Amino acid sequence: MFAYIDPTIRARLVEAGKLLRINALGEPLDANAPPAEGQVALNVLGPVPLPIHIGGEPRTFQWHAFVRHTELAEANLMADALRRRGEPQLFSLLSKSMTVNSALVLGDLRAAANPLVRVHSCCLTGDVFGSARCECGPQLELAFKRIEAEGVGAVIYMSGHEGRGIGLWAKAVTYMLQDAGEDTYQANRSLGLPDDSRDFSDAASILLHLRGDQPIRLLSNNPKKHADLRAGGLHHLQAEKHVTGVGAANRRYLSAKRGWGHIIDPSEIDEGTE
């Protein structure tokens, strides 16, 4: 378990309560015993203070990292093999076996009456490159601003969700199909891929661990996200619209999302919203 990190460091983290294991309901499991066969288990590392600049002075969010036990076990096996082969320089390969999701928490999330939460799917082109082909970057930025303004809330960042779950390479292909006339969902279907293959079950487990099944205002226009989180055990979700970043480069994309079921008014994506 966690073989590629010094076992003595791992033991210190467990003893300090900084390395935990939870089940799908967010409940604690024994961090030193393997989960039961077939049991969904997430390893939790943190919290780690992260000062994040939102407007003026940085606000300190608490970062929690989550990875499925099965993926971590695969990374451990690879680490052992690399160590036996005398190739520790290839330890960078370990990250390819793990999808690490993050929770960035401001304030006392469990004590808050009805905090804002954004469950955000990773988007390299939007979140990092600042692409205006989607509204992902502005949605993430606005989520932090809205949470900062209230003094409490959380951003759950899902790192395995690129391109609604199809990955960055396939996403690049769909962009070229979109430039040839297809919309974002037609492009997925042309490649034989689902409209949306994202799994939000781990996001539900993360929120159950951090807050329990208490009221949450979810910053999302996507009814699938709401339904998936409810199926994961969150029964007190309130939809909070989160339309931002509308422009000429993504108006057709947003219109397709609205046709697929996203709660977006036509007036919110017309030319007057830029």
Side-chain angles (χ1 to χ4, degrees), residues 80-98:
D80 290 340
L82 292 173
R83 191 175 287 111
R84 286 193 300 269
R85 287 159 43 186
E87 296 179 320
Q89 72 274 13
L90 298 179
F91 270 28
S92 60
L93 296 172
L94 299 174
S95 62
K96 296 182 180 181
S97 299
M98 294 190 293

Side-chain angles (χ1 to χ4, degrees), residues 20 29 44 75 79 90 130 137 141 144-146 149 161 166 176 211 217 220 228 232 235 252 259:
L20 315 172
L29 298 172
V44 186
L90 298 179
E141 181 180 359
F144 276 114
K145 287 181 178 178
R146 293 181 67 177
H161 283 189
I166 64 175
M176 288 188 285
R211 178 164 170 79
R217 287 177 290 148
S220 176
D228 286 358
H235 303 112
R252 182 167 172 263

